[in-house]
Every structure is written in C-alpha cells, then in structure tokens.
Amino acid sequence: MSFTRRQVLAGLAGLGVVGLGAGGVRYWLGRPENVATHDYELIAAPVDMELVPGHVTPAWGYGGQAPGLELRCRQGERLRVRFINKLEQQSTIHWHGIRLPLEMDGVPYVSQAPVLPGEYFDYDFICHDAGSFWYHPHTTSAEQLGRGLVGPLIVEEREPTGFRHERTLSLKTWHIDEQGAFTPFMVPRQAAREGTRGRLTTINGTPNPTLELPAGQVVRLRLINLDNTVTYRLNLPGGEARIYALDGNPVQPRPLGKEYWLGPGMRIDLALRVPAAGETLSLRNGPLRLATLEGVASTEAAGDWPPALPANPIAEPDLARAETLRFNFEWAAALASPADEAAGRYKYWQINGQAWDINDKTCADRPIATLKKDGHYIFVLRNMAQYQHPIHLHGMTFKVLGSDRRKIVPYFTDTYLLGKNETARIAFVADNPGVWMFHCHVIDHMETGLMAAIEVV
Ligand code: C2O
Ligand code: CU
Ligand code: CU
C-alpha cells in the first residue's frame, strides 16, 4: 500500500476501508481465524460492564470486553488484524511500542484515513520485537481510551523462555461515579495540571481482584498501564520479584526494589516467586491495594529464576557521531485564551513553544524536527513543569541514557516517564521513515498541546 499523507488529507477516503454490507461479519468476539498466522477479527463496539456491583457502565470494548481482547503474536511473524468499527464514531488502532511501517501506525490523517462507523481496516505488520505491548485508538482519545478501548498485545519470544507461567495484568482507573456512570474524561483545569484522574482502579476490568498463582513457581507478570492519566507506584511488600523487561524490552534482571513508577503507556515484566499455598501478597499502588496474589497448591517442582530474556533487534545508537536535539516540555496554561477555550481548543502545554491542536488535521505538516534516515540522534528532554510526563515516540525504540534526577542503567523503551523538572537524555537510530507522533501519554496533556510530529526522511 502506498499513499502520501496529502492524499489522505485530500480525501482519499475508503483506502483499505470497506463498508460492511448486511450479513457481513456476524461473530462478536475477536478470535484467531488461523492459528498459524495469528489472524484476528477485532470489533470495537459498546459493551455494558458491571464495574460497580448492581450498576451498568456503558463502556466501549474490543472483542466484547474492556480492556480489550489480548492479542498474541510470535516474534518475527506477521500480525494481521481486521479492525471492525461498530462504534458510532470514527476510530483507528495504534500499536503502542511496535516498530512498524507508517501506514500501519493508526494515526488519523497521518498514517491512514479514520475508520468510519460500519467500516473496517486491515492492519498487517511484522512484530520484530518480543515483549508486552498494547493497542488503542488515536482518535478522540480521552473518551475512546477512557471508555475502555485499550488492550494488551503480547509478542512471544521466538524460542521458549524459562518462564512456564505468565499472567497479563492490565491496569486502568475508570472515570465513573458510585453508580457506574461516566464522569468527564477531561476537565480543563485538571488537564492543565496532572491530568484528569478516574476513581475506580481495576486490573483486567475487576477492582481489587484475587489472582491465584501456582505456589512455589516463578511466574511472569506482565503489568500494562493502559490508563489515561495515572502513574501507578507499584510495590509488592514482602514479595520476591525481579524486573525482566521494561516497556517490552528486556533488561538484566534485577530486584523490583521498593517501588516502580509505571506511567501511562508503560509496561513492566516481573518475575514473581509465588508464595506457598494459602499465602498471599498484595500488589499495591503506593499504600493502596491493587490486587491480592494468592499461592494455590501446585504439583510442579519449585521453579527457578529464568535467565535474562533475549535482546530485541534494535539498532544501537552511536553517541560519538550522534546529533543532539533539544526538546522543552512547557506549561503554557497561562497563555490559554478564553476564546480558544470557548471554541474547545485547549492549549495548556507545548513542546519548544508549539502546541499541537487536535482539531487541526494539518499539524503533522509542520514537524518539530526532521531527521535523516539512518542518522543517529540524541534527544535532550527537559521538563519545565511541576507535573510529570510519560514521553512516547511512535515508530522507533529509543535508549534512555541518563537523567539529572536519578541513576539510570541505560535501557531501550518507547515511553520515558519524565519527572517534574527533570532533564533526561535518550538516543536512537532514525531507521524508520515516516512522520511519527512524539507526545505525552497523559491523554489530556496530549489533547491540550503536548504532542508533535518527528519526520524521518
Ligand atoms: Cu500509545 Cu501515540 O500512543
Ligand atoms: Cu505509540
Ligand atoms: Cu504530560
């Protein structure tokens, strides 16, 4: 498939998007059609949930559930997903953390035309990297992600790892009241600060679940923060856990330590030694319990810590010849004009003096930086504000080099949690041509200016 952004903007609608006639697809659940090639049909549609006992929450889900169906693929293989839009508004799917061609990246007016209600779009790409990833729309994001259009994407390693057991834990804090009704996903005065938080924290759509795990085994827990706003301060008092991967990329295993801050969009793969049968641990967010992990009798011999996971095939940036670019993330709420706000244009944040306007389809025509294909780059990310920003880049994986606030063992990621007033350095090889979004993953920061396009030509 080849088309330019301009063709999309000029209204080349229907490209790869076909209307579903009557008697079209009848099954509701996304399901593998062909195990060998991992094909899925993934339907986005309203789904009623009971998050608050006795009350209905009118969520939106993928494959009849929210968070959405877990998609799986094997490293080096192709993932083909037919996305069917049964919502009453347009949508797309973006594959967070996956290095893929631009036309599969799911950004409306940049990589594809939006998928209209009743239409479908075929996503088809190779998963080069193994790890824990996720997917979500890139349209009307505060509402679409807020209502539940978020789901895990697991890319299995080529060869079996030393883990015999694993669980995916999708973390989301819902914007609902005591009756399960949605509350606003974006409140302007909160968007101008830390972001609009939800009230009810869940794992895999259940508040405070008890997860039964085989006693004495070492289990891989894939924790995915697919929330709009919340940074979870993960801790497991009394538990024996080691970090094996961050944001889909393996690290040299090390103890979890006191607390790990998992910002929106971020993932952590932990190895946990499950306690004896009948004993429990609590997985917490700061002092608050997220889940109870309970050992249940297992007939297997006790497990051991598996070796480190194999590295992903990511190009190593050469710092000696890298060009350095600086990006300042600024609070601009003081400049917000009442006229803009009245018109629904909220500009509270900017990158290097530029605020992205989510209602302007031409923003990506004015990239904030143009990189040379296969060039090596260091980005200096400077947070000029009191609020933290999980900074995410599409299309390429970067290496975190260091920070003026904390000690960093360099690692590859797609999202870096930039703390208040922190300056961090990242580096990567610009090996993927295209126009790539570069934004904060606190959704209401992204929708009120904190987004830019980085072009690689
Ligand atoms: Cu999960 Cu543009 O991002
Ligand atoms: Cu992304
Ligand atoms: Cu932010």
Side-chain angles (χ1 to χ4, degrees), residues 10 34 56 70 94 111 131 167 172 178 199 225 241 243 249 252 266 309 325 331 364 366 379 388 401 415 437 441 443:
N34 174 336
V56 170
E70 177 172 304
H94 167 65
S111 10
R167 285 291 183 88
K172 177 167 168 60
E178 286 82 354
R199 237 192 79 253
N225 181 354
I243 304 175
N249 290 284
Q252 201 47 49
M266 297 165 68
L309 298 166
L325 300 176
W331 189 74
R366 300 179 294 281
F379 281 13
Q388 54 186 10
L401 303 174
T415 309
M437 295 301 109
H441 225 288
I443 302 301

Side-chain angles (χ1 to χ4, degrees), residues 94-97 105 136 138 392-394 439 441:
H94 167 65
W95 310 92
H96 184 117
D105 198 42
H136 59 81
H138 232 282
H392 172 53
L393 175 65
H394 288 205
H439 64 86
H441 225 288

Side-chain angles (χ1 to χ4, degrees), residues 16 27 57 133 149 199 222 271 273 279 314 339 348 405 435:
Y27 29 91
T57 296
F133 300 93
L149 293 172
R199 237 192 79 253
R222 301 172 182 268
R273 185 180 292 287
E279 288 182 14
I314 295 160
Y348 299 143
R405 292 293 155 120
V435 176

Side-chain angles (χ1 to χ4, degrees), residues 183-230:
T183 54
F185 301 105
M186 199 278 261
V187 173
R189 64 179 301 277
Q190 291 171 23
R193 295 176 171 79
E194 66 160 10
T196 308
R197 291 173 79 97
R199 237 192 79 253
L200 182 73
T201 297
T202 58
I203 289 187
N204 301 341
T206 304
N208 220 327
T210 295
L211 305 172
E212 299 187 339
L213 301 168
Q217 298 298 310
V218 173
V219 174
R220 180 177 187 171
L221 300 180
R222 301 172 182 268
L223 290 131
I224 305 183
N225 181 354
L226 28 71
D227 192 62
N228 288 26
T229 317
V230 178

